[in-house]
Amino acid sequence: MNSDQGRERWAWFVRSSGSWRWLVPSVLGLLEAREKRVREEIAGLREEAERVQAALGEAERSLQRLVDARATVAEVLAEPSSAVAEVERGAMAGSPVPHRSEGMPASVLAADYQRIVSLLESAGREGMRCQQLAVALGLQAVPAKVEGVRSKAKRLVERGWALQMRPGVFTALVVSAG
């Protein structure tokens, strides 16, 4: 027992206004002090419980996203390979240019690339400069747009869809004799 606890158990004499009286710790005061400490402890525990509950909720949401992702991947991998081949054949904006093989139609290309191939075919044997291609595509003949067209034309050359006759001049892979 420490000295504070000992003082609470004993009464003290105090001389006040010419008379002696007992100074007894108030039982109600002691209970109020104890109640205040317990209320503070409860408030702290509630805050901690809320924090833990929030962390638990976030962890559960994260787990659900992972479970959903795993289920989606499993479904995709379970599909027959013919469904995957159809997706690869379809033309989508921003899709990579496939390597050209014999008999492959230009419709497998994304729309921008199809338009470039069509313009190169219509240009004939002379071919087209990148600036001409940009204007024919409805773009401004500014360096950024011309370089974007040049990049696409070079990608078509790399994948066997067009030919580069000389630097900056492109033509279709097969140009009609007319």
Side-chain angles (χ1 to χ4, degrees):
M1 169 181 346
N2 65 33
S3 62
D4 290 335
Q5 291 172 335
R7 284 190 200 121
E8 290 178 3
R9 293 184 180 208
W10 299 100
W12 295 87
F13 287 107
V14 174
R15 181 158 188 179
S16 167
S17 333
S19 66
W20 291 92
R21 65 182 174 100
W22 289 91
L23 230 182
V24 178
S26 165
V27 173
L28 289 177
L30 292 172
L31 289 173
E32 286 175 3
R34 176 77 181 235
E35 181 181 339
K36 181 181 175 187
R37 284 193 309 269
V38 171
R39 285 184 189 275
E40 290 171 353
E41 183 180 355
I42 288 171
L45 290 171
R46 280 196 178 128
E47 287 177 8
E48 186 177 344
E50 289 173 3
R51 183 189 57 77
V52 168
Q53 192 65 30
L56 175 63
E58 182 58 35
E60 287 174 339
R61 287 187 291 277
S62 180
L63 174 63
Q64 189 59 49
R65 286 191 302 268
L66 291 169
V67 167
D68 292 345
R70 185 173 41 85
T72 301
V73 169
E75 287 175 10
V76 169
L77 293 176
E79 289 181 5
S81 61
S82 63
V84 174
E86 277 186 40
V87 171
E88 289 176 359
R89 283 195 299 260
M92 295 186 298
S95 65
V97 176
H99 287 280
R100 184 170 186 267
S101 60
E102 182 122 2
M104 185 180 278
S107 62
V108 300
L109 297 171
D112 289 348
Y113 290 99
Q114 288 180 29
R115 290 175 51 203
I116 292 172
V117 168
S118 175
L119 287 170
L120 291 176
E121 288 173 347
S122 66
R125 293 180 191 205
E126 304 83 43
M128 290 182 82
R129 300 191 71 66
C130 294
Q131 188 169 4
Q132 293 171 313
L133 273 171
V135 171
L137 289 169
L139 303 172
Q140 294 177 350
V142 295
K145 300 296 182 179
V146 173
E147 288 306 313
V149 171
R150 183 184 322 280
S151 173
K152 288 180 180 179
K154 284 186 174 189
R155 190 167 298 119
L156 287 169
V157 169
E158 292 169 1
R159 307 292 166 78
W161 291 94
L163 294 172
Q164 185 171 7
M165 299 172 60
R166 56 188 180 275
V169 180
F170 298 88
T171 186
L173 183 64
V174 178
V175 178
S176 58

